[in-house]
Amino acid sequence: MINIKVGRPLGRHTLRKSAAKAMLGFTLIEVMLAMAVFAIAGVALLSAASNNARNIGHLESIMFANWVASNQLVEISLATQWPPKNNLKGEVELAGRDWFWQQKVIKTTDKDMRAIVMEIRLKEDDELAVSSLMAYVSKVEK
């Protein structure tokens, strides 16, 4: 025995409603929320890129200042005269910039040894040094 169920035939009107429900797009609120998420992500990416660019310039200045300080300390260690007790200052050009250095000689507990602090600045009257290196030199007897 075969059961045949007779019901209301599917008309064009019924098919249109179900197809229309399947083809609905995003609502205005969903689109606005997606735009807000992308806008926040974009601002965060721009902020991170800006911070990286600023840090690269600062790190470059520190690296060159360390080179200047190292070069000045090598010059002092190669000099045959005992370092003076007074502070010396000077200017050096490196990487297209002028660097101002200041040498501070500090007495140590050993009378034949001195500590030398080399401070590097971008401007002569800057309060804070970009870099500061310390080295110890000893008196060489001839």
Side-chain angles (χ1 to χ4, degrees), residues 22-34:
M23 297 178 81
L24 284 177
F26 294 109
T27 64
L28 180 60
I29 291 181
E30 290 170 334
V31 170
M32 296 293 282
L33 184 62

Side-chain angles (χ1 to χ4, degrees), residues 10-24:
L10 293 174
R12 278 197 286 166
H13 183 67
T14 308
L15 288 176
R16 277 191 202 154
K17 276 188 178 178
S18 64
K21 284 184 182 178
M23 297 178 81
L24 284 177

